[in-house]
Structures are given as C-alpha cells and as structure tokens.
Amino acid sequence: MRSAHIALATTLSLLSGCSSDSPDSAGGPSAPAASPPWFVEVAEERGLTWVHSKGDEVRYWFPEVMGPGAGVLDYDRDGDMDLYLVQSGDLSKPEGENAGDRLFANDGAGNFADVTEATGATDRGYGMGCACGDYDGDGWTDIYVTNVGPNALLKNGGAGAQFSSVAAAAGVDDDRWGTSAAFMDIDNDGDLDLFVVNYLNWSEAVELKCMSGFGEPDYCHPNNYNSPATDVLFENNGDGTFTDITARAGVAEAFGNGLGVAPGDFNSDGLMDIYVANDMTANQLWMNQGDNTFKESGLLAGCAVNGEGAAEAGMGVVAFDAENDGDLDLYLTHLREQTNTLYINQGGGFTDKTSIVGLAGPSLRFTGFGTGAADFDQDGMLDLYAANGRVGKWRPQFLESDPYAEPDQVYRGVGAGRFKEIMPQGGTGEPYYANSRGMAFVDTDGDGDLDVVVADNHGRVRLLENVAPGQGNSVLLEVVNEAGAPAVGAKVSISVGGETLVRFVQPAFSYCSSSDPRVHFGLGEHTGTFDLRIDWPGGDTTERAGLQSGGVVRISR
C-alpha cells in the first residue's frame, strides 16, 4: 500500500501548492506515465448484458444522441444496491411501444439478474434519465423517469409488491423533453420535493436537417432550434401528490437548454439550493429564499459562465468539496474544444479555477457527459470521473464503427483542489471507446470502494470494478431517516487524523443519473476510530464519537 495516511493530506496539499499556477496546455511534449489499472470492466460476467437503443439514427433526430442515464437504489431493502437502466427506443413508435427500462437486482456479491417483469419496474417512454428517492415516506425507494414526452413515476410497493406507474395521479407527468431530475427537500418539512430539468421544446415538426463539417448528415446544435425550456419544480403535498410551483417559486423566470442538475446548500444557510447545467446557454444557480421561492443568482455568484465570460455546453455536473474546506464546489463537463470547468466556492461566490488545477488541457479534445467525484483510491482526496462521447461527427475517429465514440477520463485528486489525469484514459488497462452518457457510482460488491456504472448511447452498459492501486481504508455510511430511507440532504462530517471531511447524502448529480445514496469516505492508512456529525434537514444534529472505520455503518435519525 502506498503511503496514503489521511493525516498527510495537508502536507500533500502544500506540496501541490508549490507547482506552477500557469494554465495547463492542451497537449504537452510528453504524455503522463501510465499507471496500473484503476478499473476492470465486468458487466457481462456480472449479468449486465443490457444494450441501449436510440432508434433509427438515419433520421438524426436530436433526442437520439442524448440518452441514456442509470439509477442506483436498494429497491428491496436487502442491503445491497440494484440498478435501473433507462431505455430509449424509437421516436417514431407510438407512446408506450418501446422496449422499456430494466431493473437489475444485486445478489450481494455484485452479480445482477433482470427482475423487471417480476417487479413491474419499467416505463416504455423514450427514456432519458432517472432520479431515485422515497417520495411518499413509506421507507421504500421510488423511481422518477424523464422522457421525451410524459415523464413517469414508479411507486415502490414494498416487500413482495410490484412497482406501479403513478405519475399522472401524483401530478408529475410533465410531457416535455426531460433530462436530469433530483429529489430534494426544499422546505425542510421532511418530504422530498422534485426538480426536473428540461432540455428544449422539441417535436418531430421542429426537427432540422444538419450536416457535419465534412458534409455528412449529422445531429444539430441545440441553438439551431432556438427553443430553450423552463425547468419544473414540484412541491410534495405530503399525501403522495405534488403541486407544480414553478411559477410561484420564481423558477419560470429563466430559460435554458437544461441537461444537468446538482442540488446543494451552496451558502451554508441550511436550505437546499439548485444548480442547473445548461447547454450553450448560461447556467443557473437557484438560491433558496426560505419561503419556497428561489432567486436566480448564477451570474452574480460567478458560475453562470466561465472565467472568460462565455456560456459553455453544460452537460453533467457534480457539487462536491474539492478542497476539503467544508463547502460545495462545482465541476461541469462540456463539449470538445471547451474545457470542463471547475468553479471553486469562496464563501458563496464562485471562481473558475480550471486552468490552474490540471483539468483544462486534458479535457479539450473530448465531449463530457456523466461526471462525479469519488475517492476511488481512498486516500482522503476526491477524484473525478468524466464519461465522454461526441454529439457530432469529427475526425480523427477513435472507432471506425462509431464516429461518436471517445475514451472516458479519470482525474486523481492530489491535494489543494488539484488533479492529475490517470493514464491510460478511463483508468482501464486499455482505453475503452464508446459514446458515453449517464454515469453513476455504486459499491456493487460490498468491498467498501466505489465502482462505476456507465450507460453508453446505442451501446451496452458498462460496470467498472474499482481495482485502484494502493487503496487505503474507508467507511461507507448509510444515513437514513425515520422511515429507513436515505436521508437526502443530510450533511455528513467525519473527523479523523486531524482532518474534517464533509459529504452530503445526495444521489442526484452527473447526467440523467442517480448514484449510491450511501456516503463514502476514503481514510488512507487510518484503521482506527473516527468521530461523526450529521446535520439533518430541518436543523437536528447527531454526533457520535469513536466509530470504527471499515465496512458499512448505519446511522438512523
């Protein structure tokens, strides 16, 4: 095991801070040295043979190139994480005639079996993404599915019962082009509200014919349609239904080509705010005013456009603590020839630090979608994953058979909010080329580290088992509310080795996806005890001292 004691994090940060602050370049004189693999692709051997279909790509209808997402949930409350995979299909088919989404149950050892028919957990719309959460407070995790057309809400019937489709009855069957969605408690009343991101106002009638730079038929740029959409905020009524409060809450005042969402308390006032990543329109930061209204503050806060003042092609987004200073920063993936962007939170305002932290140059050649921050090597510093895939044809191609395929990227956190790309690209023994979209983190096999699920457009799902070299110790915290469901929005802090690390219970991030709701901390070489503090939504606090590191620790409110 390499030296990774969490107590050395400060020293590592200081060493990293001595490096040059000059912007990194798109291509240096020599490539970074290859490391041992961080991941091994095991989907097929674990029973995940699912393949995404986008329909007849000869039409080049815009929605075909944008899906799919993936969801992680413990649908049967047996202690391991299951997978919900969102299918698209064929836009020319009548509503309800596509193959439908699939639910795969985990046997506890990381092997999966398709239980869709047995559970009824499917929707047959032209699917984009999903969000997972216990909306009705019965302790069982439900699934919200975004579609091109009416969205779906699959209510979990509990032990031995099937899922049922209740979106219309619950009032959340928005019929536009939904992408990412997130459950969150906006008013600290104990139930989960729902925010749905819409891309643009699309129909077959507005579809355009576009060409690539090489004179070939291709997918259009979103601004060609000139039809940005408003997002939707649903307030939970506490009786299994929702009320659309978009206009009353102020969310209807801004438009955008919405693709990603990251809820978080960005100014540490105890209220859940909402960040939306928009494609070639300014991003939005909806600051919670405490009375079920929100103020759009992205431009004033410094995270609507990049440091050069340009709106970028926001796809995926994650809110995480890049510097271990206790507040939430933002990382967004973008189109090729734009950098992915890291906004550092400085007391509620943000600064674009991308060019000085190692993330600018490596991302310029790629189009990023799903993304997230996780401590893969468990050294106490968060790493980044970017799932890449093109939306337009370009040369040179990585694969002759797929002009949209690219390798994914992994960036190791090296301290002081800086990152270094892992080679080969994607962290696998050899780069894997695909048109990646949704991405989620999950400990599939109960070994305490986080694996990666990647849903590829018009390709098979990938399960990347974490085999990062020199892994440190860890703890996985299952933080649940009174009903036994994940306590979405809870702030979790641990003190260990002289350091305090902060994470949040919030599975909604990335792109069109929902991750493992359990909270993972890498602890380096620390194998002793740690102290825990949980700030629950609404203001209650739980403190525990002397908890043992390693394994899974369940904390109930």
Side-chain angles (χ1 to χ4, degrees):
M1 179 184 292
R2 63 177 164 79
S3 176
H5 197 293
I6 194 167
L8 296 180
T10 302
T11 303
L12 289 170
S13 298
L14 291 172
L15 291 173
S16 298
C18 295
S19 61
S20 171
D21 276 353
S22 62
D24 49 13
S25 61
S30 60
S35 78
W38 280 40
F39 301 100
V40 175
E41 211 291 298
V42 297
E44 189 170 358
E45 67 186 74
R46 297 287 183 83
L48 293 173
T49 57
W50 181 87
V51 178
H52 174 256
S53 171
K54 66 179 180 181
D56 182 4
E57 65 180 86
V58 174
R59 287 191 305 258
Y60 293 99
W61 287 356
F62 197 19
E64 295 170 352
V65 79
M66 300 305 294
V72 176
L73 71 159
D74 183 4
Y75 86 92
D76 50 4
R77 294 182 57 166
D78 63 354
D80 48 53
M81 292 292 144
D82 312 300
L83 299 179
Y84 186 86
L85 301 177
V86 179
Q87 184 61 274
S88 297
D90 192 329
L91 283 164
S92 66
K93 286 187 176 181
E95 185 179 319
E97 290 192 9
N98 283 310
D101 310 333
R102 310 301 291 180
L103 177 65
F104 289 83
N106 189 337
D107 68 356
N111 302 303
F112 292 87
D114 189 334
V115 295
T116 308
E117 275 71 32
T119 62
T122 191
D123 177 67
R124 296 184 183 276
Y126 193 89
M128 285 286 124
C130 63
C132 301
D134 176 21
Y135 82 93
D136 55 357
D138 64 356
W140 298 86
T141 300
D142 312 294
I143 307 169
Y144 187 78
V145 183
T146 58
N147 293 317
V148 181
N151 297 333
L153 177 61
L154 304 179
K155 173 180 166 53
N156 190 336
Q162 287 203 327
F163 284 80
S164 54
S165 185
V166 298
V172 291
D173 57 336
D174 192 71
D175 63 356
R176 289 174 288 174
W177 180 354
T179 52
S180 294
F183 285 107
M184 68 194 80
D185 187 354
I186 63 168
D187 45 13
N188 288 332
D189 65 352
D191 52 34
L192 292 179
D193 310 296
L194 177 64
F195 190 89
V196 182
V197 177
N198 287 316
Y199 191 27
L200 48 81
N201 296 303
W202 181 91
S203 70
E204 179 184 348
V206 304
E207 191 52 71
L208 306 170
K209 291 189 181 297
C210 293
M211 309 294 283
S212 74
F214 308 100
E216 304 165 316
D218 205 354
Y219 295 102
C220 295
H221 189 286
N223 288 352
N224 286 17
Y225 298 89
N226 191 28
S227 189
T230 56
D231 301 326
V232 188
L233 178 59
F234 295 103
E235 181 184 7
N236 195 325
N237 298 322
D239 60 0
T241 67
F242 293 80
T243 298
D244 183 343
I245 63 168
T246 307
R248 172 159 47 93
V251 174
E253 295 178 6
F255 295 78
N257 301 324
L259 289 179
V261 63
D265 182 4
F266 294 107
N267 59 355
S268 301
D269 65 352
L271 298 171
M272 194 59 57
D273 312 304
I274 308 166
Y275 185 82
V276 178
N278 287 318
D279 188 2
M280 298 307 299
T281 52
N283 303 318
Q284 295 151 358
L285 176 61
W286 295 106
M287 298 303 297
N288 194 330
Q289 303 300 294
D291 57 357
N292 278 11
T293 67
F294 290 78
K295 182 179 180 181
E296 206 292 289
S297 305
L299 192 60
L300 288 175
C303 55
V305 295
N306 67 13
E308 296 178 352
E312 297 178 293
M315 312 288 197
V317 59
V318 59
F320 74 113
D321 186 2
E323 302 173 300
N324 281 349
D325 61 356
D327 56 23
L328 287 173
D329 310 299
L330 290 161
Y331 178 69
L332 283 77
T333 53
H334 292 129
L335 196 67
R336 66 179 306 277
E337 298 183 346
Q338 299 173 357
T339 71
N340 294 344
T341 302
L342 177 67
Y343 295 103
I344 293 295
N345 191 337
Q346 298 178 312
F350 293 84
T351 302
D352 180 350
K353 295 284 189 178
T354 312
S355 64
I356 64 172
V357 299
L359 294 171
S363 62
L364 276 170
R365 296 172 54 213
F366 305 104
T367 293
F369 276 86
T371 191
D375 190 354
F376 295 122
D377 56 354
Q378 303 186 149
D379 64 352
M381 290 174 282
L382 289 168
D383 314 302
L384 290 169
Y385 193 99
N388 296 327
R390 298 173 181 173
V391 291
K393 295 175 181 176
W394 195 255
R395 297 192 182 114
Q397 294 177 195
F398 291 99
L399 281 182
E400 258 189 63
S401 59
D402 186 351
Y404 304 98
E406 293 182 333
D408 293 348
Q409 292 173 286
V410 184
Y411 301 91
R412 181 186 170 205
V414 295
R418 296 173 181 260
F419 298 87
K420 181 178 181 180
E421 187 179 10
I422 295 297
M423 290 292 177
Q425 282 167 330
T428 49
E430 294 182 359
Y432 185 95
Y433 302 111
N435 195 16
S436 302
R437 292 294 181 263
M439 182 231 66
F441 297 146
V442 54
D443 179 10
T444 58
D445 47 10
D447 61 357
D449 59 25
L450 291 180
D451 311 307
V452 183
V453 176
V454 184
D456 293 333
N457 182 268
H458 211 57
R460 63 188 183 87
V461 67
R462 285 181 283 146
L463 175 58
L464 304 177
E465 182 180 359
N466 187 341
V467 294
Q471 287 195 27
N473 196 25
S474 68
V475 65
L476 200 60
L477 297 173
E478 186 180 4
V479 182
V480 299
N481 59 24
E482 297 90 341
V488 173
K491 179 181 180 181
V492 184
S493 308
I494 68 168
S495 298
V496 56
E499 297 283 329
T500 297
L501 303 178
V502 178
R503 309 277 190 269
F504 287 81
V505 181
Q506 180 47 266
F509 58 87
S510 186
Y511 170 79
C512 290
S513 297
S514 185
S515 281
D516 195 328
R518 298 172 297 183
V519 181
H520 174 266
F521 288 92
L523 302 177
E525 293 182 352
H526 184 85
T527 58
T529 61
F530 63 92
D531 298 335
L532 169 73
R533 175 187 171 105
I534 300 176
D535 294 296
W536 304 94
D540 295 341
T541 299
T542 295
E543 294 186 2
R544 301 278 180 87
L547 295 175
Q548 182 60 47
S549 59
V552 179
V553 177
R554 181 182 172 94
I555 305 292
S556 300
R557 186 167 188 174

